[in-house]
DNA sequence: GTTTATGCAAATTCTTTGCAATACT
DNA sequence: AGTATTGCAAAGAATTTGCATAAAC
């Protein structure tokens, strides 16, 4: 598992306290999705909300993070294993737990492709599974 | 294809102009998702925004509509074929076209279930495919 | 010393809530 | 008539933009 500072250097991004903090949070959380609000709370007001939003955007543009589809219209971001190395994939399987409300990126599972009706052309796919996770049994 | 007024009677909902209009729009649009903003524009200010929101909520509670997952955090609602009769299903395959921005409910396709890691329990699933649709070839 | 990121203020969009007036059956 | 729905005003959450200051390289 890479450290935040190293990832920033790799991606040619300036090493700022906010970026190190945000990226560190994602690394610590593993494959769990984190919302901007959570980051704001975790940082205890150390960084401006706007700065966190901009940091998230920077990371998305750099393919470090991707947006996580939530059924309840709540936006989260996640660092996926696949995104860390070079074969960045846009085929994500996300699991949303209705009990603890965490959304995780199930990297182990690959999306089974379906046959689309004539004329449809797939670019990417997101599979969201809603249910209960191991911790909430 | 049922008419709006009949569906309302079936579901024991009062027949009001806003409900008839909104439901009519969904029937006309077929399996395409519609956002609250679109409904507001289409009605040309005839109904209050709040009323449209409440109407959408009423229809969701009555299993007439379901929320459509959009990758770009845009909320749409759709009337699915499966939802019209009694075997209301929550396993939806949605297709979002990056060109015309429409989201449609692909009723013909059923979700292929995946094997979840130990401890995970599925309640429902949403599959969103992003790409180009037949009209935007 | 340049370039880029940050913080603050403020604006926008989406959505919800309370309450009195109105429409539905 | 009695109950449910509507419209208005207003509040709340999430997100974005502009600009001057500050920090990174």
């Amino acid at each position: 598992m890479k450290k935040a500072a190293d990832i920033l250097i790799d991606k040619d991004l300036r090493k700022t306290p906010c970026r190190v903090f945000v990226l560190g949070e994602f690394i610590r959380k593993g494959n769990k999705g984190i919302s901007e609000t959570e980051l704001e709370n975790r940082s205890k007001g150390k960084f401006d909300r706007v700065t966190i939003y901009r940091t998230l955007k920077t990371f998305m543009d750099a393919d470090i993070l991707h947006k996580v589809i939530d059924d309840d219209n709540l936006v989260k971001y996640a660092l996926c294993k696949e995104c860390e190395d070079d074969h960045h994939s846009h085929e994500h399987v996300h699991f949303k737990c209705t009990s603890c409300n965490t959304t995780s990126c199930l990297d182990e599972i690959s999306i089974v492709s379906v046959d689309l009706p004539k004329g449809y052309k797939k670019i990417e796919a997101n599979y969201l599974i809603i249910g209960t996770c191991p911790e909430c049994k």
Side-chain angles (χ1 to χ4, degrees), chain A:
Chain A
M1 181 66 79
K2 275 181 189 168
K3 286 182 68 182
D6 298 329
I7 296 172
L8 292 174
I9 292 165
D10 276 10
K11 296 282 184 179
D12 267 315
L13 295 172
R14 289 192 179 181
K15 189 183 146 216
T16 67
C18 183
R19 288 179 179 174
V20 172
F21 166 77
V22 170
L23 196 40
E25 284 300 305
F26 282 100
I27 293 170
R28 197 164 309 129
K29 276 277 196 167
N31 58 355
K32 295 235 169 73
I34 312 179
S35 67
E36 184 282 329
T37 309
E38 290 174 79
L39 289 166
E40 208 181 319
N41 294 337
R42 231 47 86 55
S43 71
K44 293 176 201 277
K46 203 170 170 187
F47 308 107
D48 192 86
R49 178 174 302 179
V50 177
T51 306
I52 296 174
Y53 272 111
R54 285 197 268 231
T55 299
L56 291 168
K57 185 171 187 332
T58 301
F59 289 171
M60 298 238 291
D61 291 344
D63 281 343
I64 296 170
L65 297 180
H66 65 274
K67 207 173 253 190
V68 173
I69 309 290
D70 187 298
D71 62 324
D72 209 31
N73 199 33
L74 215 138
V75 178
K76 294 192 180 181
Y77 304 85
L79 175 76
C80 276
K81 277 176 193 140
E82 300 136 55
C83 308
E84 279 181 49
D85 38 49
D86 281 332
H87 52 289
H88 182 79
S89 161
H90 286 292
E91 313 268 303
H92 292 285
V93 179
H94 292 129
F95 190 92
K96 162 81 177 288
C97 178
T98 56
S99 174
C100 62
N101 273 311
T102 59
T103 309
S104 37
C105 204
L106 300 181
D107 303 294
E108 319 91 65
I109 296 178
S110 51
I111 289 187
V112 186
S113 53
V114 297
D115 291 320
L116 286 170
K118 277 199 185 68
Y120 288 92
K121 199 172 175 183
K122 181 177 90 171
I123 294 172
E124 61 174 273
N126 281 291
Y127 196 168
L128 175 70
I129 302 168
I130 297 143
T132 49
C133 75
E135 287 97 62
C136 294
K137 267 268 158 147

